[in-house]
Amino acid sequence: MKLPRTPTFSLDGKRALVTGGSSGIGLGAAVALAEAGAEVTLAARRAETLEQAVAALRAQGWAALALPLDIADIETTGACLAATEPFDILVNSAGLARHSAATDTIASDFDAVMDVNLRGAYFLLQAVGKRLIEAGKPGSLITISSQMAHVGGVDRAAYCGSKHAVEGFTKAMAIEWGPHRIRVNTICPTFVRTPLTEPTFADPERVAWIEEKIKLGRVAEVEDLMGAVTFLASDAAAMITGTSLLVDGGWTAD
């Protein structure tokens, strides 16, 4: 009897781009991909922090490069990616949150959130996808979305709107690019302890709300997402596209 073989989680020989890669979830994703064998390019706005992150990865013997980049600047991002070799893997972890009651949302905050979470994400995936199609290469494009792409949340109308929209274009891109063997998915975490979420964890009422909703009884750490990143990037997820992987501790199980 011929037994089936487990697909490989190895990313040897792959080139990966991680935006928002200088800290938090993005840095965790970069470590996970590098550990699996990929050459990882970390992209972020803060050049000094970015160089520190790259140096830390290299100190572990991993292949890492720095790319100062603001995905909200879609023209510069597009030109930069058009001039590079295509990336086999993208993890877009760049994100922005400006929370307020829906009645208090101001246009500048709304626009800032959408410029990064939606507009920037859309055209980043477009740029990476186009290079893969031009080169005739398969790929795995992953956006770090949120459980808030599937539910609502107090003071999060703009943020939820941006993440719900990401789920929509993810499905559409997956349909269009499937024939090119390019997979497009999201990872949707619950609240993760990162610099982005520090203001939330400083509010006792918000902490109580979070702890009540997460069925596993704790908030997530960056390490909780690293296996999901490696999985979706690898051939082990070769038949997964156009969907979201919820890493939410059961938040959306209700």
Side-chain angles (χ1 to χ4, degrees), residues 10-174:
S10 171
L11 301 176
D12 288 345
K14 302 292 186 182
R15 298 182 70 246
L17 173 65
V18 180
T19 61
S22 62
S23 65
I25 295 171
L27 181 57
V31 170
L33 297 174
E35 236 178 344
E39 176 191 90
V40 182
T41 297
L42 282 69
R45 292 176 297 173
R46 297 173 296 170
E48 182 178 351
T49 307
L50 187 61
E51 291 292 349
Q52 292 171 353
V54 167
L57 265 71
R58 288 176 174 170
Q60 297 294 318
W62 299 323
L65 302 169
L67 177 64
L69 195 67
D70 180 359
I71 70 164
D73 182 350
I74 62 173
E75 289 79 13
T76 300
T77 298
C80 178
L81 294 178
T84 65
E85 290 296 311
F87 288 99
D88 306 290
I89 300 159
L90 168 68
V91 178
N92 174 33
S93 186
L96 182 66
R98 293 189 181 176
H99 300 316
S100 67
T103 52
D104 297 332
T105 303
I106 59 176
S108 59
D109 283 349
F110 181 92
D111 290 344
V113 170
M114 295 298 171
D115 280 350
V116 176
N117 295 358
L118 178 55
R119 187 171 182 266
Y122 184 99
F123 287 101
L124 172 66
L125 266 71
Q126 181 195 74
V128 175
K130 284 174 69 173
R131 289 295 291 120
L132 286 169
I133 292 169
E134 290 167 356
K137 298 186 66 176
S140 175
L141 312 186
I142 304 162
T143 298
I144 303 298
S145 183
S146 170
Q147 66 186 15
M148 293 298 169
H150 297 269
V151 295
V154 176
D155 294 344
R156 283 164 170 77
Y159 184 79
C160 287
S162 71
K163 295 300 187 177
H164 275 73
V166 167
E167 297 300 319
F169 78 63
T170 294
K171 294 179 185 298
M173 288 179 176

Side-chain angles (χ1 to χ4, degrees), residues 7-11 89 140 142 183 229-238:
T8 181
F9 287 82
S10 171
L11 301 176
I89 300 159
S140 175
I142 304 162
R183 298 183 293 108
V229 168
T230 304
F231 170 61
L232 285 180
S234 74
D235 287 345

